[in-house]
C-alpha cells in the first residue's frame, strides 16, 4: 500500500473503543410518541406546517425551512399531531417541537421502499439541488449544515474536488463504518449525483486505515465509478475535521475564518450525508431516519441502530440493555466532541450520531492544577493555535486579544484538553470565549 496520508499539524491518538464495528445495523421499532424539535440544523428554526389534530404519514412534511440556511422537517411516523409545545433538547434548553402520537406505520406513497439499487439519474444539477433541499437534508457528521447550501457555493468559487468524510475518527462511533459495509453502492451513486450537481470530475473518499474492510469494499466498488478515489489515511484525531481532511486528501490548506473549503475549490460531505442524497434523489425519501451507535464499556448490548427521528433516547438505551449502574455520563455523540445529555427523554434528531454511556471512572473530572508550561496543548492543536493562552484570555475576559489570537479558528475538537497533564478545562474556557467573541463580531457587523 502507498504511504498513508494525514494532516500536517497537531492531532492526538485517543483509544478507539470501537466496540460495535462488527455489529450489523438493526432496525429499532417506531416509538409510541415522536417528538420533532424545530431546530435540528444550523440556521433558522423550521416553521410548523401542521397543527394539532392533523393526520400525518411517514414522510409527511411537518415543518418548512425558516430561511435559506434552514431545513424542512418530516415525520418519521404515522399518526396524529398531538400538540406543538416546547421540549428539552440536547442543549439542555426547552425548544419548540411538534409532538405526534403514533398510530400504525403508513408511509407516503411517493417513497420508493424497495431495496433495488437505482443508478441512473437524469435530473439537471438544479433539479438535484432542489430535491436535496426539499428532502430536508443536513450534514450528518455533527454540524447539521443544510446540504443544499453547501451545494450552492459562492459564484466566484471554482469547485474541482469533492471530499467525503468517511473517517469517523471520534472514539466509540461506528455508524459510518457500518453504512460503508452495508450500502457501498448507494453511497457511490449518491457521490456521483453530487459530482453531477456540482459539475466536478474528481472525488476522494477519506477512510482511516483502522477500517480495512471498509477500504477494501469501497475501493472495489469505486472501480465502476469515474473519478472516485478511496484514500486510506493514517489514524489520527481529528482527521474528520473539514480542514484536516482536505489537507490529508488533497494537500490544500483552507485559510482562517471567514474562509471556507469552497475558497480552495473543495466541497466536503459526510458519508452518511451522501447516502441520504442517494435516498432523496433516487428513492424520493426525505431525511427522517439514520444509523445511531449505542455503546459504552459496561453496556450489555452495544449496537448500531437504524432509528426514526423523534424517538426518545430512552428507547435506544433500553434496546441496548438499559443504563449500566456505573454510568457517570450519558453523551450524545462521541467522548471528544459529544455533549452530555440531561435526560433520556430527549428525542433523536438529525444530528444524533451516537449515544455513549460513559462509566463514572472515565467521566469524573480530575483535580485541576496550575499550567506547567509544557506546551502539549500547542503541539496537539490541529489548527496551530495556543489553547493555554486562549483559555487564559477567556478566563480573564480579554475578548479583544482572544479575537486577534484567532479564537474563532478553534474547531472544538478537545485535543488540547485531552493532552493537558494539569487537567485544565481548556476546551470549556475556549468554547466560552468563542461564543462570546462570535457574538461581539455579529453585533459589530450588524452596525455596518
Amino acid at each position: 500500500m502507498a504511504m498513508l496520508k494525514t494532516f500536517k499539524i497537531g492531532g492526538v491518538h485517543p483509544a478507539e473503543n470501537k466496540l460495535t464495528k462488527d455489529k450489523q445495523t438493526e432496525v429499532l421499532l417506531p416509538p409510541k410518541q415522536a417528538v420533532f424539535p424545530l431546530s435540528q440544523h444550523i440556521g433558522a428554526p423550521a416553521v410548523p406546517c401542521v397543527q394539532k389534530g392533523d393526520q400525518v404519514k411517514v414522510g409527511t412534511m411537518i415543518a418548512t425551512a425558516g430561511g435559506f440556511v434552514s431545513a424542512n422537517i418530516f415525520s418519521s411516523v404515522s399518526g396524529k399531531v398531538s400538540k406543538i409545545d416546547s421540549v428539552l433538547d440536547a442543549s439542555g434548553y426547552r425548544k419548540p417541537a411538534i409532538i405526534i402520537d403514533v398510530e400504525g406505520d403508513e408511509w407516503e406513497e411517493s417513497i420508493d421502499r424497495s431495496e433495488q439499487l437505482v443508478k441512473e439519474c437524469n435530473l439537471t444539477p438544479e433539479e438535484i439541488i432542489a430535491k436535496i433541499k426539499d428532502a430536508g437534508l443536513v450534514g450528518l457528521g455533527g454540524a447539521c449544515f443544510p446540504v443544499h447550501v453547501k451545494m450552492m457555493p459562492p459564484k466566484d468559487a471554482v469547485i474541482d474536488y469533492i471530499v467525503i468524510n468517511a473517517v469517523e475518527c471520534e472514539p466509540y462511533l461506528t455508524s459510518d463504518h457500518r453504512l460503508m459495509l452495508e450500502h457501498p453502492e448507494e453511497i457511490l451513486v449518491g457521490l456521483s449525483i453530487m459530482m453531477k450537481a456540482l459539475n466536478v470530475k474528481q472525488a476522494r473518499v477519506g477512510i482511516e486505515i483502522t477500517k480495512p474492510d471498509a477500504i477494501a469494499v469501497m475501493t472495489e466498488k469505486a472501480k465502476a465509478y469515474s473519478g472516485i478515489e478511496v484514500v486510506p489515511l493514517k489514524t489520527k484525531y481529528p482527521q474528520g475535521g473539514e480542514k484536516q481532511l482536505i489537507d490529508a486528501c488533497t494537500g490544500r490548506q483552507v485559510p482562517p475564518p471567514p474562509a471556507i473549503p469552497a475558497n480552495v475549490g473543495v466541497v466536503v460531505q459526510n458519508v452518511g450525508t451522501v447516502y441520504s442524497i442517494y435516498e432523496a434523489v433516487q428513492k424520493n425519501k426525505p431525511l427522517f431516519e439514520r444509523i445511531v451507535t449505542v455503546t459504552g464499556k459496561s453496556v450489555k448490548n452495544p449496537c448500531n441502530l437504524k432509528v426514526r427521528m423523534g424517538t426518545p433516547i430512552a428507547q435506544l438505551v433500553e434496546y441496548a440493555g438499559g443504563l449500566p449502574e456505573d454510568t457517570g455520563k450519558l453523551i450524545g455523540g462521541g467522548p471528544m466532541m459529544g455533549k452530555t445529555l440531561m435526560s433520556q427523554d430527549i428525542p433523536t434528531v438529525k444530528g444524533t450520531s451516537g449515544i455513549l454511556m460513559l462509566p463514572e471512572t472515565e467521566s469524573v473530572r480530575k483535580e485541576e492544577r496550575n499550567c506547567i508550561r509544557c506546551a502539549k496543548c500547542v503541539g496537539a492543536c490541529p489548527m496551530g493555535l495556543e489553547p493555554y493562552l486562549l483559555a487564559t484570555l477567556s478566563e480573564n475576559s480579554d475578548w479583544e486579544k482572544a479575537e486577534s489570537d484567532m479564537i474563532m479558528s478553534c474547531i472544538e475538537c478537545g485535543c488540547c484538553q485531552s493532552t493537558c497533564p494539569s487537567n485544565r478545562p481548556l476546551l470549556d474556557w475556549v468554547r466560552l470565549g468563542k461564543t462570546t467573541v462570535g457574538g461581539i463580531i455579529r453585533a459589530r457587523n450588524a452596525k455596518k
Side-chain angles (χ1 to χ4, degrees), residues 398-407 437 440-441 444:
D398 190 345
W399 310 126
E400 196 174 322
K401 181 86 166 72
E403 183 181 351
S404 66
D405 280 12
M406 298 175 56
I407 198 167
V437 170
I440 291 167
I441 292 169
R444 189 167 63 223

Side-chain angles (χ1 to χ4, degrees), residues 1 208 323 398 426:
M1 189 180 279
E208 282 191 339
L323 198 69
D398 190 345
L426 298 170

Side-chain angles (χ1 to χ4, degrees), residues 295-312:
T295 184
K297 289 178 181 172
S298 304
V299 173
K300 281 183 193 160
N301 174 35
C303 49
N304 296 298
L305 298 176
K306 184 185 259 192
V307 181
R308 310 264 186 115
M309 275 131 207
T311 304

Side-chain angles (χ1 to χ4, degrees), residues 38-105:
L38 298 175
S39 295
Q40 296 191 34
H41 46 261
I42 282 179
V47 180
C49 58
V50 291
Q51 51 195 5
K52 182 178 176 179
D54 285 358
Q55 289 288 142
V56 298
K57 296 179 183 178
V58 176
T60 302
M61 189 189 295
I62 56 174
T64 56
F68 176 62
V69 182
S70 188
N72 299 331
I73 295 173
F74 294 81
S75 176
S76 64
V77 295
S78 65
K80 186 183 285 187
V81 177
S82 161
K83 56 183 171 177
I84 298 172
D85 202 351
S86 62
V87 300
L88 201 66
D89 74 356
S91 70
Y93 293 97
R94 296 189 76 82
K95 302 275 182 68
I98 297 167
I99 299 161
I100 297 172
D101 291 332
V102 180
E103 303 163 359
D105 193 29

Side-chain angles (χ1 to χ4, degrees), residues 85-136:
D85 202 351
S86 62
V87 300
L88 201 66
D89 74 356
S91 70
Y93 293 97
R94 296 189 76 82
K95 302 275 182 68
I98 297 167
I99 299 161
I100 297 172
D101 291 332
V102 180
E103 303 163 359
D105 193 29
E106 196 179 344
W107 288 50
E108 290 284 0
E109 290 174 7
S110 56
I111 300 170
D112 177 1
R113 299 178 67 186
S114 72
E115 294 291 313
Q116 188 180 354
L117 182 75
V118 183
K119 282 193 176 185
E120 202 64 40
C121 175
N122 299 315
L123 301 178
T124 65
E126 293 75 21
E127 287 169 336
I128 291 169
I129 292 168
K131 265 204 152 182
I132 286 169
K133 182 181 180 182
D134 292 344

